[in-house]
Amino acid sequence: MATPATEHAHSHEEHAHGHGAGHDHGHHPQSFWSKYVFSVDHKMIGMQYMFTGLFMGIIGAYFSYVFRMQMAYPGHHVPGYGVVSPGEYNTLITNHGTIMIFWLAMPVLIAAFGNFLIPLMIGCDDMVFPRLNRLSYQIFLLSAIVLIASWFVPGGGFAGAWTAYPPLSAKSQYNLTPLGSTLWVIAVALEFVAFLIGGINFVTTAMNSRAPGMKLFDIPMVIWMIVVASILFMASVGPLFAGAVMLVMDQQVGTGFFDPVRGGDPILWQHLFWFFGHPEVYVVLLPAVGIVAEIITVFSRKKLFAYKTVLYTAFGTGILSFFVWAHHQFIAGIDPRMANVFTATTVLISIPIAEMMFVYVATLYGGSIQLTVPMLWALAFIAEFIIGGVTGIFLGSSGSDIYFHDTYFVLAHFHYTFVPIAFIAVMAGISYWYPKMFGRMLNETLGKIHFWGTIIAFNGIFIPLFLAGMGGDHRRIYNYNHFPESATELLNSYREFATVSLLVLLAFQLIFIINFFWSLKAGKKAGNNPWDANTLEWQAPSPPPHGNFAELPNCYRGPYEYSAPNRDKDFWPQNEPA
């Protein structure tokens, strides 16, 4: 006899399946434009975000090549660019940082993986607001076009650093980019609108469209992390959005919100920016941590150690991230007594992140580890991110930060946090879900060559920059020959070694590009579940059709039941009845 609960579950499943089947079987043939450009399918929108983000990342990488060549060999002709002027140097470093955070890390980690994975991993056919989803990408694409256009207006692209501190950003006579600076602010604001819209979709879908039987603690960790990141973003972006409006008015209307001569306060922008900027670190970190959780459980054949602890830690980290922003302002003239408070909160927030890393190590302990390409990237994330965390302790302490602030030590530190997030975790996710996205396997040998070349070169770039920073090298210097204390043979050798390492890193990315596109046509066919994983996306066809599943699944257990006793197989899919 059916209970009311089971009847409700069956009716929900039939309704959902009818929705999915209607999409899949009753759909008219789609034109190129409706399928690839104006699609409302969550998977295609995820691909649009991914390819747009990776394209912007290539531009950002090119910018880093140009300005690193200028720093190692000042005044020389840069192959593929020319001679770098001081203003161009400022534009390059400003837009490199802007792109890598706002147009690579966010669109790929949150929007691309969020769009592709959420419906598949919770067992539904699409996002709850498909047209809103399409609008989100279209606004994001518009933001990227506006940013690119800002480089070609009279005066060139914005040159006031990616943090856009006034008065440099607010007065064109200082930044020398009257139109570029305003277009930069508009582009960032449009990107924020896109992610606000997307975040609504992610949270609503994950909370309301789960497969029958999927309880909150059955949701895969990467989905939880994307949901928490979306909430963090929506909660923190408001003050900066207001600041962006005030900054544009200062630039174009003549107001004085950030002009001390007219009663404004340039430090106000720093508060508005970093109140968003530090939660933003965790907005992109948490999805990266979630991707690593999915990979290490599959390739160690072990259950995730302390699932609930990791989840509660993510919630706590998100809350605590709103109370650390002023550690970016220790030398900006804030009250030294408040500096003590923010030193304490900054050291405190390192504890839950360190706990997550230890939980991952505990998950690996005793496991049957397979060193596949996704697993190598996941392990590299843990190792490299720990270096970023440990070096952050010095900068979170106000006494030592006074000496390290705005040196290359800071730059090396945040690249040891952001490269694992924006690059290593992205590569881990792409190599892991590539078979599901495209139905083909990447070439394992090429993948490992790309991995080792990238990781060795990455450390070759930034370890010397820690040493340069401790030697007093200041950031954002166009030509160190103008400063005899920084033009020593030792410091120049660090810059040259870092630049050569960057060239090696960029060269190895060609291997990834070749592997990616070659495997689309010639890669081994993947099958539905090449990794023997438990989560629901691996129970759908590869690549999934419109509607995802032939029959929408039920969920019977959590996502990490590996190596369960008394089972012949060492995996136990979520949709397989007991």
Side-chain angles (χ1 to χ4, degrees), residues 130-398:
R131 288 179 179 82
L132 207 59
N133 208 15
R134 178 175 65 189
L135 178 64
S136 169
Y137 173 72
Q138 290 168 337
I139 295 173
F140 171 74
L141 180 62
L142 177 62
S143 74
I145 292 169
V146 171
L147 182 71
I148 292 170
S150 74
W151 307 331
F152 300 100
V153 297
F158 179 50
W162 78 274
T163 52
Y165 282 6
L168 182 60
S169 61
K171 291 181 177 289
S172 60
Q173 60 264 45
Y174 297 158
N175 60 54
L176 306 178
T177 54
L179 284 175
S181 57
T182 299
L183 286 174
W184 181 91
V185 178
I186 292 170
V188 172
L190 286 169
E191 195 251 8
F192 289 169
V193 171
F195 280 88
L196 283 169
I197 294 171
I200 293 167
N201 231 342
F202 295 162
V203 175
T204 309
T205 302
M207 293 299 106
N208 291 287
S209 294
R210 299 192 304 278
M214 181 176 280
K215 300 182 285 292
L216 287 176
F217 292 132
D218 295 332
I219 297 174
M221 190 56 68
V222 67
I223 304 303
W224 267 122
M225 294 298 185
I226 291 170
V227 167
V228 174
S230 299
I231 294 170
L232 266 182
F233 179 81
M234 290 188 280
S236 63
V237 76
L240 183 57
F241 205 92
V245 173
M246 290 190 282
L247 185 56
V248 169
M249 292 179 71
D250 273 19
Q251 290 171 341
Q252 298 297 337
V253 182
T255 54
F257 291 109
F258 304 117
D259 185 353
V261 175
R262 304 170 64 191
D265 183 3
I267 302 299
L268 172 61
W269 169 266
Q270 294 187 26
H271 287 294
L272 297 174
F273 183 90
W274 289 116
F275 183 81
F276 160 78
H278 211 84
E280 164 68 10
V281 172
Y282 300 96
V283 167
V284 290
L285 169 63
L286 292 179
V289 167
I291 289 168
V292 171
E294 302 304 318
I295 293 171
I296 63 172
T297 51
V298 169
F299 295 111
S300 64
R301 313 312 289 170
K302 273 191 68 183
K303 191 170 185 171
L304 182 65
F305 187 87
Y307 171 102
K308 291 183 180 179
T309 303
V310 174
L311 188 53
Y312 296 146
T313 298
F315 296 153
T317 302
I319 294 167
L320 198 55
S321 71
F322 286 94
F323 300 95
V324 298
W325 80 88
H327 68 221
H328 297 272
Q329 301 168 252
F330 284 151
I331 67 161
I334 64 169
D335 190 320
R337 292 166 297 183
M338 286 307 296
N340 293 336
V341 173
F342 282 99
T343 293
T345 56
T346 301
V347 173
L348 195 61
I349 203 170
S350 66
I351 295 172
I353 299 300
E355 176 257 304
M356 280 190 193
M357 297 300 111
F358 280 118
V359 162
Y360 286 2
V361 173
T363 301
L364 295 166
Y365 181 75
S368 179
I369 292 175
Q370 302 164 267
L371 292 177
T372 60
V373 172
M375 185 63 154
L376 289 172
W377 286 113
L379 295 175
F381 174 89
I382 296 170
E384 306 289 7
F385 188 80
I386 286 174
I387 296 175
V390 169
T391 54
I393 299 294
F394 301 101
L395 305 174
S397 303
S398 57

Side-chain angles (χ1 to χ4, degrees), residues 36 59 81 88 113 122 151 175 183 200 205 211 239 257 266 296 305 309 376 445 481 495 517-518 531 562 568 576:
Y36 295 107
I59 297 175
Y81 184 86
E88 289 167 350
F113 287 124
I122 66 172
W151 307 331
N175 60 54
L183 286 174
I200 293 167
T205 302
F257 291 109
I296 63 172
F305 187 87
T309 303
L376 289 172
T445 302
N481 291 334
R495 294 182 204 112
F517 289 104
W518 179 83
W531 307 127
Y562 292 101
D568 294 333
E576 186 179 300

Side-chain angles (χ1 to χ4, degrees), residues 449-464:
I449 294 170
H450 171 234
F451 167 79
W452 286 111
T454 299
I455 293 299
I456 293 169
F458 163 62
N459 287 283
I461 297 169
F462 293 105
I463 288 176

Side-chain angles (χ1 to χ4, degrees), residues 401-463:
D401 182 66
I402 290 170
Y403 296 95
F404 284 125
H405 186 85
D406 254 358
T407 68
Y408 264 84
F409 189 93
V410 176
L411 182 138
H413 152 71
F414 73 66
H415 279 83
Y416 266 100
T417 57
F418 256 98
V419 172
I421 292 168
F423 189 86
I424 293 176
V426 165
M427 287 298 160
I430 290 174
S431 57
Y432 179 61
W433 280 293
Y434 186 96
K436 184 56 56 180
M437 291 176 176
F438 304 107
R440 302 271 182 174
M441 303 295 290
L442 285 165
N443 182 283
E444 192 80 0
T445 302
L446 289 178
K448 288 180 177 178
I449 294 170
H450 171 234
F451 167 79
W452 286 111
T454 299
I455 293 299
I456 293 169
F458 163 62
N459 287 283
I461 297 169
F462 293 105
I463 288 176

